[in-house]
Amino acid sequence: MDKPKFKRVMLKLSGEALTGEKGYGIDFKFTNKISEQIKALIDMGIEVGAVVGGGNIWRGRSGSGMDRTTADYMGMLATCINALALQDSLEQIGVNTRVQTAIEMKEVAEPFIRRRAMRHLEKDRVVIFAAGTGNPYFSTDTCAALRAAEIEADVILLAKKVDGVYDKDPYKYEGAKKYDKLSYIEVLEKGLQVMDSTATSLCMDNNIPILVFGLDKPENIIRAVKGEPIGTLVSNLD
Ligand code: UDP
């Protein structure tokens, strides 16, 4: 088997990644497929942190007319629902997990404690970071960047609907061109839809590479850690 390229990864799944074909909520068949890939990573000796979004349930910016802060707290709670779904799916196939939340809910999950998270990772437990950063006006992409820096992850594996970063929306424009590699600055200057600018800047400042790839095939997670040329790599390009 090819040697994995990374020792510790931060997997960022958007909420949409859990919807599969359903378009809303959680598709357990698809979630279970993702879990099998995460299990394969653990079996390869890779330590896995995961951040799940909440967009399949609720987004703060959804134009509901609500107070933004309240709407964002609803979004953070949505990520907790997804985190528990992923936890259950992983544990059903024998993967040890811990959910750590940025908003305390001690009956449901552990609070985020970095040193504890590191220990869990060393013991091959998948740590799922829920409730984003715990702050409104942020995103789960920023949470992935922040936690990746904190747990000293080698890379952020950014699983998307699209199979990489394009110059234009490939769903709308036929001739859209996919990038193999990009620098953070290019992403920011061109306004490319990778992560939001706060998350991208955090990765840039802390030199955390982001590998963007498509989750249409869950086995792409394994291909990504083996260093196969899939998706788009965003880094300092040195
Ligand atoms: N959110 C937040 N602070 C955070 C992370 C998330 O306020 O640190 C809220 C925000 O309202 C966001 C929602 O949670 O719209 C769901 O997260 P996100 O949109 O990042 O999910 P994804 O698009 O990855 O599914």
Side-chain angles (χ1 to χ4, degrees):
M1 197 199 287
D2 296 341
K3 223 174 146 271
K5 233 182 130 197
F6 310 107
K7 172 74 186 135
R8 178 175 290 168
V9 301
M10 171 60 80
L11 177 64
K12 164 72 209 301
L13 300 164
S14 67
E16 273 182 345
L18 303 187
T19 59
E21 301 295 306
K22 275 179 60 177
Y24 177 83
I26 301 161
D27 176 342
F28 278 94
K29 249 190 177 163
F30 196 76
T31 306
N32 292 343
K33 278 193 195 154
I34 297 174
S35 294
E36 276 160 27
Q37 296 302 304
I38 297 176
K39 182 177 190 308
L41 295 186
I42 296 287
D43 293 344
M44 285 162 82
I46 297 169
E47 297 173 9
V48 184
V51 167
V52 207
N56 55 325
I57 300 172
W58 183 264
R59 274 207 178 92
R61 305 175 303 278
S62 59
S64 57
M66 286 183 68
D67 164 58
R68 170 73 191 260
T69 305
T70 309
D72 276 343
Y73 278 119
M74 288 168 66
M76 287 183 253
L77 294 180
T79 71
C80 297
I81 295 176
N82 286 334
L84 293 181
L86 182 63
Q87 174 173 49
D88 183 81
S89 166
L90 283 165
E91 297 218 320
Q92 287 201 23
I93 52 169
V95 180
N96 291 321
T97 66
R98 293 290 187 276
V99 173
Q100 291 203 342
T101 58
I103 295 173
E104 209 176 306
M105 45 179 91
K106 58 184 189 321
E107 287 78 6
V108 177
E110 290 179 8
F112 170 66
I113 298 171
R114 176 182 176 260
R115 282 172 186 274
R116 253 184 137 166
M118 303 284 267
R119 189 80 189 111
H120 291 321
L121 292 167
E122 285 161 12
K123 289 188 164 179
D124 296 330
R125 296 174 185 144
V126 174
V127 184
I128 306 168
F129 300 100
T133 62
N135 301 293
Y137 295 95
F138 284 90
S139 68
T140 51
D141 283 352
T142 306
C143 171
L146 175 65
R147 299 290 183 239
E150 287 178 285
I151 66 167
E152 295 161 20
D154 301 320
V155 68
I156 296 178
L157 302 177
L158 189 62
K160 293 245 182 202
K161 274 209 155 160
V162 203
D163 64 345
V165 184
Y166 285 78
D167 58 348
K168 320 189 241 303
D169 184 346
Y171 290 122
K172 286 193 196 145
Y173 302 93
E174 227 176 74
K177 182 180 145 262
K178 187 172 137 201
Y179 296 100
D180 293 332
K181 283 182 179 177
L182 278 166
S183 68
Y184 305 104
I185 285 289
E186 278 175 294
V187 171
L188 292 169
E189 281 179 357
K190 294 185 170 98
L192 298 170
Q193 300 296 313
V194 181
M195 288 176 146
D196 55 72
S197 55
T198 313
T200 309
S201 306
L202 201 54
C203 289
M204 180 170 73
D205 293 348
N206 295 287
N207 210 2
I208 307 166
I210 311 163
L211 183 59
V212 187
F213 63 98
L215 202 60
D216 50 330
K217 299 186 190 95
E219 61 272 20
N220 278 348
I221 299 178
I222 300 290
R223 296 183 60 205
V225 297
K226 283 186 182 164
E228 288 184 28
I230 63 163
T232 304
L233 182 68
V234 183
S235 68
N236 276 321
L237 289 185
D238 41 29

